[in-house]
Amino acid sequence: DQQVKQNSPSLSVQEGRISILNCDYTNSMFDYFLWYKKYPAEGPTFLISISSIKDKNEDGRFTVFLNKSAKHLSLHIVPSQPGDSAVYFCAASAVGFTDKLIFGTGTRLQVFP
Amino acid sequence: GAGVSQSPRYKVAKRGQDVALRCDPISGHVSLFWYQQALGQGPEFLTYFQNEAQLDKSGLPSDRFFAERPEGSVSTLKIQRTQQEDSAVYLCASSLDTGNSPLHFGNGTRLTVT
């Protein structure tokens, strides 16, 4: 049973436009959410996080939105750049940002010129 | 180095062989995690250490998998009698364990069992 779902395996966006990556979860005990970015042959790199006491967190070009009632979060990248091309993983935890994380299956983002 | 270091980067094992995967966490990081990532999937939790104590091993798929961190720093994940379904990337991650510090991952060890 997949507790964290990323239903879009891939997304293609033009440089300069907005990229929106979506993530849904089923476990209402999850209170901590993170996005990781992964390049080929490298480990995941932390991007941005949010806890359930907030509905939005922003860091430069990256914004994460959380809708707890819908059990849905999204990552917005504005403007998208070719260097953003990577696989993005959504992850969730019931205990804390450093605790056992449940990952989604990832969305491959391609940003083209 | 400044990051989490894993060795070897690639390991090919014949079915039935034992393997040992090493993880050097970031200096001073208290928490250490092992994850398994199968092709096309997200990382899946295997086990967790706080210093030398293994606090959670609920994700280890069978008793052929064993992890240790005897001095609270370097960790080794051992897989005995490898099977083809063990083929995956094994990721190690560490954190300061301050509650707000995210996990820092290594580049992983890609294990192929033939």
Side-chain angles (χ1 to χ4, degrees):
Chain A
D1 179 32
Q2 194 78 19
Q3 297 186 69
V4 177
K5 300 175 187 177
Q6 293 178 256
N7 292 319
S8 298
S10 64
L11 176 68
S12 191
V13 171
Q14 188 171 33
E15 182 178 5
R17 304 278 200 154
I18 184 171
S19 294
I20 300 176
L21 295 95
N22 293 304
C23 178
D24 296 291
Y25 60 96
T26 57
N27 189 338
S28 58
M29 301 296 290
F30 288 151
D31 280 326
Y32 301 88
F33 305 90
L34 305 91
W35 285 93
Y36 278 82
K37 172 177 167 179
K38 187 181 182 305
Y39 293 118
E42 294 184 10
T45 303
F46 170 73
L47 200 54
I48 192 168
S49 62
I50 190 167
S51 70
S52 58
I53 62 173
K54 301 173 93 171
D55 55 17
K56 176 183 172 181
N57 190 25
E58 194 171 348
D59 183 2
R61 298 186 297 113
F62 302 91
T63 303
V64 56
F65 296 91
L66 175 62
N67 183 333
K68 262 196 83 89
S69 60
K71 294 192 180 70
H72 176 84
L73 63 154
S74 61
L75 174 68
H76 292 211
I77 307 173
V78 183
S80 301
Q81 299 174 354
D84 297 329
S85 298
V87 177
Y88 289 78
F89 290 99
C90 169
S93 168
V95 180
F97 292 120
T98 57
D99 206 85
K100 178 165 75 177
L101 299 179
I102 308 300
F103 283 84
T105 53
T107 296
R108 181 178 301 278
L109 172 66
Q110 184 179 9
V111 180
F112 59 92
Chain B
V4 176
S5 178
Q6 292 186 247
S7 61
R9 283 300 312 273
Y10 303 93
K11 177 70 179 176
V12 178
K14 285 188 166 39
R15 190 171 52 188
Q17 282 184 332
D18 298 348
V19 298
L21 313 180
R22 178 189 168 102
C23 172
D24 270 282
I26 294 172
S27 178
H29 277 198
V30 170
S31 295
L32 185 145
F33 293 77
W34 284 97
Y35 282 82
Q36 179 191 58
Q37 185 175 16
L39 193 62
Q41 301 297 313
E44 290 195 5
F45 170 82
L46 292 177
T47 187
Y48 160 56
F49 290 85
Q50 188 167 51
N51 294 306
E52 69 278 3
Q54 188 174 21
L55 299 186
D56 188 341
K57 54 182 181 179
S58 61
L60 296 177
S62 78
D63 59 8
R64 297 186 295 104
F65 286 71
F66 172 76
E68 60 183 4
R69 194 186 184 197
E71 296 177 2
S73 178
V74 170
S75 177
T76 304
L77 176 67
K78 297 179 180 177
I79 310 173
Q80 296 178 321
R81 304 180 305 281
T82 51
Q83 303 295 314
Q84 281 193 313
E85 61 262 28
D86 300 336
S87 296
V89 175
Y90 290 85
L91 293 163
C92 176
S94 69
S95 77
L96 280 170
D97 195 32
T98 62
N100 289 321
S101 175
L103 292 182
H104 296 266
F105 282 85
N107 288 335
T109 294
R110 180 177 294 279
L111 173 65
T112 303
V113 181
T114 62

